[in-house]
Amino acid sequence: MSSLLKGIAASNGIAIAKAYRLVEPDLTVKQKEVNDREQEVSRFEEAIQTAKKELEAIRDRAKEELGEDKAAIFEAHLLVLSDPEFLNPVKDRVQSSGVNAEFAMKETADQFVQMFEQMENDYMKERASDIKDVTKRVIARLLSVELPNPSMIAEEVVIIGEDLTPSDTAQLNKEFVKGFTTNIGGRTSHSAIMARSLEIPAVVGTKTVTSEVENGDVIIVDGIEGEVYINPTAEVLKAYEAKQTEWDSKKAEWAKLVNEPSVTKDDYEVELVANIGTPKDLDGVKENGGEGVGLYRTEFLYMGRDELPSEDEQFEAYKAVLSGLTGKPVVVRTLDIGGDKELPYLHLPEEMNPFLGFRAIRLCLEEQTIFRTQLRALLRASTYGNLKIMFPMIATLEEFRQAKAMLEEEKAGLQKAGVEVAEGIEVGIMVEIPSTAVIADQFAKEVDFFSIGTNDLIQYTLAADRMNERVSYLYQPYHPAILNLVNRVIEAAHKEGKWAGMCGEMAGDITAIPILLGLGLDEFSMSATSILRARSFIRGVKRSDMQAIAQEALTLGTADEVEKLVEQRLK
Ligand code: PEP
Ligand code: MG
């Protein structure tokens, strides 16, 4: 049966391929009594053998596709499955008390995991996650449940998931993964941001895609309109193949602008820079004609691992980005953890409202060792390029002053120790909390620049969780309240001779760009893949026309009216 689901367009483009469900199956085990204990032990041994065969196949494939070192993890898993110290207690438990094998396996694994997690030695700690993975595989076999195996994907697919973690998305092989679609998430959730940086079309927040799609169904992901077709009719399929070709030819036109300036017809120039998450994203920045980096989200350095990155490790990453961009501006944002970005190894208590909680600069000002380590790494890297430092989630002037004072202290400390630090590093803030936008005048006297973080500014101004698709209708970038706050911040900056940028997703939004251009935004920071389309637009219009649109937009009452105004005026 053919059907259509609506979601949120998270990453541009069209993907057509077969569905691959990346959904964790239910592996809950219940304790049961077995009649024949010998037979239960044999069932367990068979499950181990099957799991081993699966793992060997995965290991061989990983070796071929990804190399020896990536395959080593599966080698470690195979060792666990051959280790009598781990397997015998499971069999003993079945023999002695007649419980089912999956229950005995889970119980034994939990004990081992707890023991390894408490060890000081990092190598031993990692064994805990090997045991967890292996246990999942064996229990799946015992329950006769299929586990998804993304590393075994060998044909073009569209990934279907509840949500994809940043590390899931980072592992997707672009050669085969043509698109993805999820139940939850919004345009600014991190999986969406990763999809844009990988240039994979994505639709998120469909609510029900995992329950409507089976492995192998034909899926169209329309990442431009936010639609997902399941088993489309031949007619729809044909129309979409044509749409895909049209999109590709537009992209080819935009690609010609890679070395051109971002300048309007009446000679008003702005800066189009990129948002990145890791040094690996630099290739995308260059290919898409980015004039620098307007937001380097450093939290990815801290994620998907078991401990904090060392000062040297951070220094290497910052140095790679700064020298990779040969003197072009690079705005590095200090650690913004919390909200939807968790670091399990910090063991922070759960909060009722994580987006309003102990996150970003709040955490850094309290956990000073973490913050100061990052500041030192940044200062040491500063001589390799054009570094600007930016603090996230600033709500009060005191927070900015404290953070800046720590930066000054670390700088003095390094210089005293004979370490060279660049002079005149600009220090700015993200404006993503309404209190800061409202008193931007006062902030502008003390900061070197502003970068407006609309992803958060919108959620805080309209009180609508950016991750919650039930209130996504309130997540309105074009709401006149947002436009007025943005205007206020830009004016405040210019009054003090400072610059104002924007690094929220709104900066790359083709409907918002005319207004932002008209309001006088100096720097637009967006997913690298949005840059050329934005440049093509900017080069086709006059700044004076955009000013007129922007001034009128500020006086309107609803986001809808703003959208219609832009549409009409640009016709
Ligand atoms: C923002 O809030 O607009 C922003 C750029 O930061 P993040 O999306 O990482 O919260
Ligand atoms: Mg933010």
Side-chain angles (χ1 to χ4, degrees), residues 72-365:
I73 176 90
F74 302 113
E75 215 55 84
H77 289 184
L78 279 164
L79 278 181
V80 177
L81 280 188
S82 309
D83 187 350
E85 280 197 47
F86 177 53
L87 302 181
N88 287 345
V90 182
K91 294 181 204 166
D92 292 347
R93 178 83 165 99
V94 175
Q95 292 281 16
S96 62
S97 37
V99 294
N100 49 330
E102 47 272 46
F103 181 78
M105 173 87 185
K106 175 87 175 61
E107 206 183 48
T108 311
D110 285 349
Q111 285 165 4
F112 272 85
V113 166
Q114 206 184 14
M115 180 179 87
F116 281 116
E117 276 179 347
Q118 279 165 358
M119 292 187 178
E120 285 297 316
N121 179 314
D122 286 340
Y123 175 79
M124 296 312 274
K125 268 189 191 160
E126 274 170 32
R127 302 288 68 81
S129 65
D130 292 342
I131 290 179
K132 278 190 219 164
D133 272 11
V134 165
T135 303
K136 238 197 257 174
R137 184 166 299 282
V138 176
I139 290 181
R141 292 280 43 79
L142 287 165
L143 297 172
S144 304
V145 169
E146 280 305 316
L147 277 186
N149 249 332
S151 57
M152 294 297 272
I153 296 174
E155 57 173 349
E156 295 195 345
V157 294
V158 164
I159 299 279
I160 312 288
E162 173 68 17
D163 188 16
L164 300 182
T165 64
S167 61
D168 280 335
T169 13
Q171 281 168 34
L172 299 181
N173 180 347
K174 248 183 82 175
E175 190 187 339
F176 296 125
V177 175
K178 294 294 152 192
F180 75 72
T181 171
T182 62
N183 286 355
I184 64 169
R187 217 186 124 70
T188 59
S189 57
H190 280 262
S191 54
I193 291 168
M194 286 299 269
R196 287 194 287 280
S197 84
L198 289 165
E199 289 191 59
I200 298 177
V203 173
V204 299
T206 63
K207 299 190 181 81
T208 55
V209 72
T210 55
S211 53
E212 308 209 16
V213 173
E214 303 280 347
N215 274 332
D217 283 348
V218 174
I219 305 291
I220 299 176
V221 176
D222 180 345
I224 307 163
E225 300 296 333
E227 291 179 339
V228 177
Y229 290 84
I230 305 164
N231 294 324
T233 59
E235 211 176 320
V236 171
L237 199 58
K238 203 165 154 221
Y240 265 90
E241 279 161 357
K243 203 168 167 182
Q244 202 172 27
T245 316
E246 190 194 339
W247 179 256
D248 290 345
S249 69
K250 270 193 200 156
K251 269 175 76 174
E253 274 305 305
W254 298 332
K256 294 179 188 154
L257 301 176
V258 68
N259 293 316
E260 299 299 323
S262 311
V263 60
T264 61
K265 281 182 168 167
D266 48 354
D267 281 337
Y268 176 80
E269 189 166 355
V270 292
E271 213 171 49
L272 294 189
V273 290
N275 293 351
I276 63 166
T278 79
K280 278 195 257 163
D281 295 337
L282 283 189
D283 289 343
V285 178
K286 290 176 194 160
E287 283 159 19
N288 288 288
E291 296 163 73
V293 163
L295 168 64
Y296 175 7
R297 287 187 166 92
T298 56
E299 44 283 358
F300 290 109
L301 264 171
Y302 294 71
M303 290 162 79
R305 50 189 294 149
D306 298 327
E307 56 181 2
L308 289 161
S310 68
E311 182 181 321
D312 282 342
E313 201 177 324
Q314 293 190 55
F315 164 76
E316 291 300 337
Y318 305 147
K319 178 180 152 189
V321 171
L322 285 161
S323 44
L325 282 170
T326 52
K328 288 184 180 149
V330 176
V331 181
V332 182
R333 174 174 78 184
T334 59
L335 183 60
D336 180 9
I337 218 66
D340 63 332
K341 296 163 253 176
E342 288 174 42
L343 287 189
Y345 57 82
L346 289 186
H347 302 296
L348 295 170
E350 250 184 57
E351 296 179 309
M352 290 273 279
N353 283 310
F355 274 115
L356 301 181
F358 185 60
R359 55 174 293 202
I361 200 71
R362 303 166 185 190
L363 182 145
C364 285
L365 292 177

Side-chain angles (χ1 to χ4, degrees), residues 295 297 333 336 341 430 432 453-456 466 503-504:
L295 168 64
R297 287 187 166 92
R333 174 174 78 184
D336 180 9
K341 296 163 253 176
M430 294 207 45
E432 46 189 345
T454 46
N455 303 347
D456 280 316
R466 68 194 247 190
C503 58

Side-chain angles (χ1 to χ4, degrees), residues 44-62:
F44 175 66
E45 281 169 342
E46 270 167 38
I48 297 286
Q49 291 316 320
T50 322
K52 268 188 177 168
K53 282 200 192 106
E54 281 176 8
L55 272 171
E56 279 162 0
I58 296 175
R59 175 204 56 196
D60 293 345
R61 232 197 112 66

